[in-house]
Structure formats: C-alpha cells, structure tokens
Amino acid sequence: MSDSRVYVHAAAALGPHGDSVRAERRIFSEDPPPLELRELVKRVVGAPLRQASHLVELAAIGSQLCLQRLAFPAPENSAVYLGTGLAEVRKTYALFNQVLPPGPGLASPFDFINAANNMAAFYVARLAGFRARNLTVTQEEFSFEWALKLAHDDLCAGGLRQALVGGVDENSQPRAHHLRRIVLRDDQVMGEGAGFLYLSVEAQGARAELLGVRRFAPDMVSAMVRAWRRPDDAIVLLPGFRLTAGETAAFAAALPAARVHDYLTHCGCFHTAAAFGLAALFDDPRPGLYLHLNRDAGGRGMLIGLRILK
C-alpha cells in the first residue's frame, strides 16, 4: 500500500551544450549555438535514432541517462509523463515551409511524422520498454509542473507505483523567430534542454522526496513552506524564468535563511526549464528543502517542493 509519499530515485538534466553532469555545465550570457546531438545519442542510447527530431533526441538522451542512474531496472509498468511548452518547433516550421507557398506543396514524410507533439514521449517509452500510460502535457510555463503534479497525484492515489516524469523544449533560430513563441526579456538567454525524474512510492534507496506541486498566491508561500519544513532543513529557492529579481528577493526574504540558486545561468529560459533545474540538483545533491517557484504571464503561480535526503 502507498503511504501517500512520493520519492525520487534517479534524475538527469541535459543542458543546451549537451552537458549532463556537473563538470560539463557552463554559465553563459548569450544564446547558445545550435546543438548537434547525433554522437551523444549513439553514446547514451546505444544506437542512432534515424530521422528523429532534435526534440526527440533531447528527450531520448535525458530519459535514458535518468534510467541508467537508477539502482534497479525500471519495471515495464512505469508510466511516462512528459511536459513540453512548445513541442516540435523546428519540424513544425519545416513542415509549414514545405506545404505553404512558395514551398513545393508536398511534405517530407519524416517531417510530417516528427511534427506530432507526442513523438518525444513515444520515443521515451519505447526506448525504455515501458507499457503503461504515456501522457504529453502542455501548459506553457507550467508544462513540467502539471506533468509532475499529475504523476504525483496518481502515485499518491495508488493508481501506479512508479513513473518517469520529464520536461523538454527546444529553441529555434533566429532569436526573433523564436520569440514569436515565447516572450523573453532582452537580458534573458534563449535556452533549451531536458530534465527527468524517476519517481516511486518506494522509500528504500530514495534520493529525495517530492513533497508536492501546488498553485499559490504570493502571500501563501510562507504558510505552504511551514507545512513542509523540518527544523533542521536548509531552504533553497529556485526561481523560474518568469520571476523578476524583485519578486525573487521578496520570496527569499519571507523564508527563514533561504538561499537562492539561479539554475537558469546553466540552461537559459524555456517553458520546461524547471525540469532541468530540479534534475540538475542531483549533480551535487545536498540535503535540504528545495522550492521551485514560477509564475505565468497571467500572474498565476506554481510551487514545487522537494526534500533531498541525507
């Protein structure tokens, strides 16, 4: 029986330079150059993914790295919940250029197939050999948060015992073209990447506990944190890309001795950057209470609570 607790057993974050471990992470202040992933796919997956899109490659690498870090083989009844804010940007753009004037009017079969927004989740499940539910979730800035919440709630309800949850988004060039799909300030880097967490109701061997994913108003955060915090917990705040510096400072000031961790310097801004930020914590895991906060363009907020265990 489930004790209504959900635990993290493995994690992997793939950044916009092909980085997947702490030693490879880079801090950058400008948009990253286009990333070629074919060799990394062959090294991580074990074989090339012929005709796979860039988004599929990001998801395949991130998910396989996460599963390879598990201390046990993932059962085939593991569910997949994948969040993506924009899904197949590049392949969809290529498809439109082919079928609309002045294009030839005929679409490439592989571009047509890859433009389907659930292809990344399909590849994640197929490569892992999973045969349980497989969901693609898109909710703009909260695409990963809602995928994570669905998985957390399903695990707590006893509907399943384990799930692979991820977030993945790609960028596109030029920047002005991409900014038609995501609003960024001039000082924000246009990022991309993937992050995956393997969740289970089994406590033994867990690396962290997922405390919850909740909607919030700014004046509710302190009360929500008090419900989660233990007396010896260090608090680390991970601000999402929609929070301003002033908002981040206000949240940090309202929490006792909170430290701010700006993971966006390693991945840039994209709709599911939260997945990268949480998964990258396990590059160098330190015990404590970690809080990811973000809001969307309409001002609605989402909070993720995670406790890394000793």
Side-chain angles (χ1 to χ4, degrees):
M1 294 291 292
S2 170
D3 62 358
S4 295
R5 293 191 173 188
V6 175
Y7 300 93
V8 179
H9 283 260
L14 180 66
H17 299 291
D19 48 289
S20 61
V21 295
R22 184 184 181 190
E24 297 172 348
R25 307 291 186 209
R26 303 184 203 173
I27 294 176
F28 54 94
S29 58
E30 60 184 12
D31 296 343
L35 179 63
E36 172 55 59
L37 289 170
R38 290 183 182 179
E39 290 304 315
L40 187 56
V41 167
K42 287 192 286 187
R43 188 162 72 246
V44 173
V45 177
L49 297 178
R50 302 190 185 280
Q51 302 297 335
S53 70
H54 183 69
L55 184 81
V56 165
E57 291 176 333
L58 289 169
I61 295 167
S63 61
Q64 283 293 294
L65 285 172
C66 181
L67 295 174
Q68 290 166 14
R69 294 171 185 177
L70 265 179
F72 53 87
E76 69 173 16
N77 64 345
S78 300
V80 173
Y81 298 76
L82 184 66
T84 179
L86 295 177
E88 291 283 358
V89 176
R90 302 184 188 184
K91 287 298 183 183
T92 300
Y93 185 66
L95 182 66
F96 286 165
N97 278 344
Q98 293 164 28
V99 299
L100 296 176
L106 295 175
S108 159
F110 289 110
D111 285 349
F112 177 78
I113 292 170
N114 281 316
N117 289 339
N118 63 343
M119 285 301 293
F122 164 78
Y123 271 93
V124 167
R126 193 191 75 169
L127 291 170
F130 294 160
R131 300 182 180 276
R133 69 187 61 168
N134 182 327
L135 300 179
T136 298
V137 180
T138 179
Q139 288 288 319
E140 296 184 322
E141 291 89 342
F142 297 147
S143 297
F144 173 69
E145 284 88 337
W146 279 108
L148 189 63
K149 179 172 175 54
L150 286 171
H152 179 269
D153 291 352
D154 286 349
L155 287 161
C156 286
L160 52 104
R161 295 190 60 81
Q162 54 274 320
L164 179 63
V165 187
V168 59
D169 273 294
E170 65 181 357
N171 60 25
S172 61
Q173 298 290 346
R175 178 183 174 96
H177 171 82
H178 194 65
L179 293 188
R180 294 166 58 188
R181 294 163 175 82
I182 180 172
V183 178
L184 299 177
R185 301 190 308 269
D186 290 343
D187 64 336
Q188 289 182 310
V189 171
M190 180 182 75
E192 69 172 14
F196 282 85
L197 305 174
Y198 190 85
L199 308 180
S200 171
V201 296
E202 176 60 54
Q204 184 175 356
R207 304 186 66 189
E209 181 182 356
L210 177 61
L211 301 172
V213 185
R214 300 179 184 175
R215 291 188 253 191
F216 73 88
D219 59 353
M220 297 168 53
V221 173
S222 294
M224 296 168 76
V225 172
R226 282 196 298 271
W228 284 337
R229 190 183 185 222
R230 294 173 179 172
D232 59 342
D233 274 339
I235 297 180
V236 181
L237 178 65
L238 286 74
F241 74 95
R242 286 288 180 232
L243 294 188
T244 65
E247 289 171 322
T248 298
F251 282 126
L255 301 174
R259 179 172 65 87
V260 175
H261 172 56
D262 184 9
Y263 68 89
L264 295 169
T265 59
H266 289 120
C267 68
C269 300
F270 53 99
H271 284 110
T272 53
F276 175 96
L278 288 179
L281 293 174
F282 295 88
D283 288 350
D284 182 24
R286 300 182 181 184
L289 176 59
Y290 292 80
L291 306 167
H292 187 281
L293 295 101
N294 201 12
R295 62 174 175 80
D296 62 13
R300 294 171 289 267
M302 290 286 279
L303 168 68
I304 302 172
L306 182 79
R307 175 175 291 110
I308 293 182
L309 305 172
K310 295 180 180 179

